[in-house]
Structures are given as structure tokens and as C-alpha cells.
């Protein structure tokens, strides 16, 4: 087992689109184990291969609660096959130490992937749960997309990054996400009317 070095925001590896894994070799299996160890060592709930400088399509997550047994899940060559609804919450990333920003996500996702033995599996994550958000966050890493690209408030994001001595927001990478934002505004209006 080994704890790997996590690359920080500003490193080009975080902005690259990662390559499919053609064979789950011994090397890939060891990398997956090391990524799990690295995630735990940094108190993270997810870690994607580009965050350890490997631009291949693999990520690991563990969203189990503190009082639950460890439950690491390895996703190889994942594909999001369904996404619906909208949610938002503050999110962070191991490549952005101490920076938390309010971001838009789908509330529901269905994803298929291969496990470490090459066996396909499907996971559904609902209701803007941590699992749902975490899957979308890590999947994005494989596309070179970062959580700050989903910022609801660009000024907040710029401020948070500045406070943490990180490079600023790359405005050309920001995702517009008009539909999802409208859904969010609509659901916030509804919540207010029910108060
Ligand atoms: Zn991340």
C-alpha cells in the first residue's frame, strides 16, 4: 500500500480528458488500492485517477458514514446512463485544499462501470445524496471538469479560491447550466411558498 501525492488545482492533468482502460492489469489494480488508501489518508469521500497524475478512466469513492464499515467502490470506464433533477450544495475537492463552493448537480444519476475484476455493475443515486454528488464530481474529473466549473456564484468561487491561495476560476471553463439553474430557482421558490 502507498499514499500517493495528490495533484493540486493548477496542474494540467486535472484539465485533461482521461483515456479508457483497455485491460485491468496488475498495475491498475495496485493503483486502485493506492487510490483508496490515499482517499482515506486525506479524509476524502472520492478520488479520481487524474488527481494522482494518471489520466485514465478510473475513480474510487466511499460515502459510508463514520459508524459504518468501510465501503470503497472502484469505478472503471464509467458511463452515466441517466441523470435527472437538480440539487445544490457546498462541495470541496482533495485537489483544492480547504476550498468549499456552492455547486449545481443533478439530483439523480444512474451510472454503469466495471469493477476491479472487470465485472459490470450499475448504481443509482437519488435525491441529491452524497453518493449522487460524489459520483458526478469524480466522473467529471475524467472529463477534465472541476467542481468550480459548476459554481452557482462566480464571485463566491473567486473569493474562496483566493482565500486559499489557489489559482483563480477559469472563466472559459464555467458551465452555464441554465436548465438546472432554473430547476433550482423554481424549487427554492416553491420551498419559500410553503414556509
Ligand atoms: Zn475532486
Amino acid at each position: 500500500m502507498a499514499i500517493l501525492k495528490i495533484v493540486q488545482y493548477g496542474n494540467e492533468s486535472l484539465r485533461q480528458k482521461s483515456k479508457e482502460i483497455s485491460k485491468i492489469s496488475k498495475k491498475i489494480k495496485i493503483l486502485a488500492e493506492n487510490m483508496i488508501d490515499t482517499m482515506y489518508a486525506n479524509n476524502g469521500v472520492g478520488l479520481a485517477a487524474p488527481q494522482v497524475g494518471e489520466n485514465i478512466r478510473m475513480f474510487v469513492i466511499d460515502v459510508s458514514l463514520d459508524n459504518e464499515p468501510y465501503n470503497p467502490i472502484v469505478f472503471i470506464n464509467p458511463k452515466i446512463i441517466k441523470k435527472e433533477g437538480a440539487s445544490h450544495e457546498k462541495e470541496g475537492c482533495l485537489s483544492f485544499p480547504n476550498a468549499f463552493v456552492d455547486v449545481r448537480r443533478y439530483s439523480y444519476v444512474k451510472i454503469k462501470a466495471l469493477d476491479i475484476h472487470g465485472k459490470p455493475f450499475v448504481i443509482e443515486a437519488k435525491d441529491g445524496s452524497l453518493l449522487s454528488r460524489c459520483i458526478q464530481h469524480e466522473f467529471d474529473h475524467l472529463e477534465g471538469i472541476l467542481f468550480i466549473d459548476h459554481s452557482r456564484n462566480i464571485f463566491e468561487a473567486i473569493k474562496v479560491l483566493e482565500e486559499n491561495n489557489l489559482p483563480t476560476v477559469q472563466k472559459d471553463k464555467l458551465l452555464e447550466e441554465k436548465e438546472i439553474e432554473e430547476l433550482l430557482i423554481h424549487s427554492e421558490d416553491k420551498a419559500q411558498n410553503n414556509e
Side-chain angles (χ1 to χ4, degrees):
M1 96 168 216
I3 310 295
L4 307 171
K5 189 170 154 32
I6 297 179
V7 303
Q8 305 285 287
Y9 176 49
N11 185 305
E12 255 318 293
S13 135
L14 294 178
R15 283 303 190 187
Q16 280 168 33
K17 191 172 155 76
S18 290
K19 290 193 179 73
E20 292 269 320
I21 293 172
S22 54
K23 181 176 178 277
I24 305 171
S25 61
K26 185 88 203 280
K27 202 175 143 221
I28 297 283
K29 289 182 183 177
I30 291 169
L31 177 65
E33 279 175 28
N34 289 340
M35 282 171 58
I36 291 168
D37 291 336
T38 305
M39 169 177 72
Y40 289 143
N42 289 278
N43 298 314
V45 291
L47 186 69
Q51 290 181 278
V52 292
E54 298 283 348
N55 283 101
I56 54 171
R57 300 186 78 81
M58 174 163 76
F59 66 78
V60 300
I61 67 168
D62 187 343
V63 295
S64 59
L65 299 171
D66 288 344
N67 59 355
E68 290 173 346
Y70 286 120
N71 183 28
I73 309 173
V74 179
F75 295 73
I76 293 173
N77 296 340
K79 300 224 165 32
I80 290 183
I81 47 182
K82 201 172 169 190
K83 45 195 184 187
E84 274 174 5
S87 74
H88 74 100
E89 206 160 317
K90 284 228 191 279
E91 245 174 62
C93 177
L94 292 177
S95 295
F96 293 69
N98 306 316
F100 295 88
V101 173
D102 188 24
V103 299
R104 305 180 191 101
R105 294 287 179 196
Y106 293 99
S107 57
Y108 166 93
V109 282
K110 188 174 183 179
I111 188 167
K112 69 172 184 184
L114 301 177
D115 70 12
I116 199 66
H117 308 291
K119 195 168 160 258
F121 65 94
V122 173
I123 288 183
E124 272 186 294
K126 298 176 185 168
D127 303 327
S129 59
L130 180 60
L131 176 65
S132 171
R133 306 175 61 76
C134 191
I135 286 171
Q136 293 174 68
H137 179 120
E138 300 311 330
F139 183 85
D140 272 354
H141 273 302
L142 309 184
E143 297 293 314
I145 298 171
L146 300 172
F147 75 119
I148 50 165
D149 303 340
H150 296 280
S151 290
R152 291 197 77 199
N153 182 335
I154 171 80
F155 303 105
E156 179 208 28
I158 289 170
K159 187 167 165 272
V160 169
L161 295 181
E162 193 182 87
E163 281 168 359
N164 290 288
N165 299 315
L166 289 160
T168 194
V169 170
Q170 293 168 283
K171 288 190 180 145
D172 59 320
K173 304 280 189 199
L174 285 174
L175 300 162
E176 214 172 328
E177 302 181 306
K178 269 193 189 142
E179 265 174 57
I180 197 163
E181 184 61 31
E182 269 167 33
L183 277 173
L184 287 174
I185 292 169
H186 187 68
S187 64
E188 278 160 13
D189 285 349
K190 250 184 16 201
Q192 266 174 5
N193 289 340
N194 289 339
E195 271 171 13

